[in-house]
Amino acid sequence: MHMFKKANLALVILASTISMGAMAATKTYQMDPTHTSVVVSWNHFGFSNPTADFSNVTGTINFDDKAPAKSSVDVTIPVKTVDTHVPALTAEFLEADYFDVSKFPTATFKSTKVEAKGGKKYDVYGKLTIKGHSKNVVLHATLNKEGIHPMAKVPAIGFDATTTIKRSEFGLAKYVPYVSDAITIRISTEAEAAK
């Protein structure tokens, strides 16, 4: 009877350890705004493909490499930081015909599903909200690296991701179709776990 109790106790401890390990598999990372880049590009009358970028991007990445379906992403982009590197165009982008930042200061992406595609590639499904319009989009993401950050000395993760949207679906239709409706979004980010 005594041996049975010991065996039973050992099984309980083992089950608890496995359970805690499973719970710990999903790590939470905060995106580092100083190492996060969001760049958009479009076609201009067929002649060129200009770009603009956004800064001070923040967000949370919950990542489980063993069970990617448990992963999630939540990102906030302060639209007022848009920079086209052409001052007049940047000013125009802030106005009502484009982002209307006085009414809609941020854009957001909230994931609804993550699918592993093999080879460190993932499709991240979610809702992108710009200027009060929410649409389903898919980010095609690549895991660059997961490990201990050599400077911060904490677990860190890095991803690149791309998607293409139609700007007219987000109330940004000015000059379509002469300036392309299709907008390519490229994201590169580092994120760190809390110390």
Side-chain angles (χ1 to χ4, degrees), residues 12 20 23 31 45 68 72 101 106 134 137 148 150 161 164 185 195:
V12 169
M20 288 174 65
M23 288 172 58
M31 293 169 64
F45 292 92
S72 63
V101 296
T106 61
S134 294
V137 302
I148 300 300
T164 300
I185 304 173
K195 292 183 179 179

Side-chain angles (χ1 to χ4, degrees), residues 7 13 15 22-23 26 28 31 49 52 113 133 140-141 143 157 167:
I13 292 170
M23 288 172 58
T26 302
T28 299
M31 293 169 64
N49 295 285
K113 182 174 68 170
H133 301 271
H140 304 292
L143 173 63
I157 200 165
R167 62 187 177 98

Side-chain angles (χ1 to χ4, degrees), residues 119-124 139-145 158-162 187 189:
K120 296 188 177 182
K121 295 186 181 299
Y122 304 85
D123 279 351
V124 183
L139 298 179
H140 304 292
T142 300
L143 173 63
N144 297 323
K145 185 174 182 178
F159 282 96
D160 281 0
T162 63
I187 303 163
T189 187

Side-chain angles (χ1 to χ4, degrees), residues 111-155:
S111 69
T112 54
K113 182 174 68 170
V114 177
E115 283 186 356
K117 307 303 288 184
K120 296 188 177 182
K121 295 186 181 299
Y122 304 85
D123 279 351
V124 183
Y125 295 78
K127 290 275 187 186
L128 177 64
T129 301
I130 302 172
K131 203 177 177 181
H133 301 271
S134 294
K135 299 292 178 184
N136 293 317
V137 302
V138 183
L139 298 179
H140 304 292
T142 300
L143 173 63
N144 297 323
K145 185 174 182 178
E146 181 182 17
I148 300 300
H149 194 286
M151 295 179 70
K153 308 300 183 188
V154 295

Side-chain angles (χ1 to χ4, degrees), residues 29-91:
Y29 303 87
Q30 297 303 316
M31 293 169 64
D32 177 0
T34 64
H35 293 96
T36 297
S37 167
V38 176
V39 179
V40 299
S41 61
W42 60 92
N43 184 268
H44 188 257
F45 292 92
F47 294 109
S48 63
N49 295 285
T51 63
D53 52 72
F54 299 85
S55 54
N56 297 324
V57 177
T58 58
T60 301
I61 300 172
N62 295 302
F63 184 66
D64 189 332
D65 59 346
K66 304 297 184 190
K70 296 179 181 177
S71 303
S72 63
V73 180
D74 190 337
V75 182
T76 298
I77 301 169
V79 181
K80 67 181 181 181
T81 66
V82 66
D83 187 357
T84 68
H85 309 285
V86 179
L89 182 58
T90 298

Side-chain angles (χ1 to χ4, degrees), residues 41-43 164-168 176 179-185:
S41 61
W42 60 92
N43 184 268
T164 300
I165 64 170
K166 287 186 176 182
R167 62 187 177 98
S168 60
V176 171
V179 178
S180 66
D181 196 6
I183 302 292
T184 300
I185 304 173

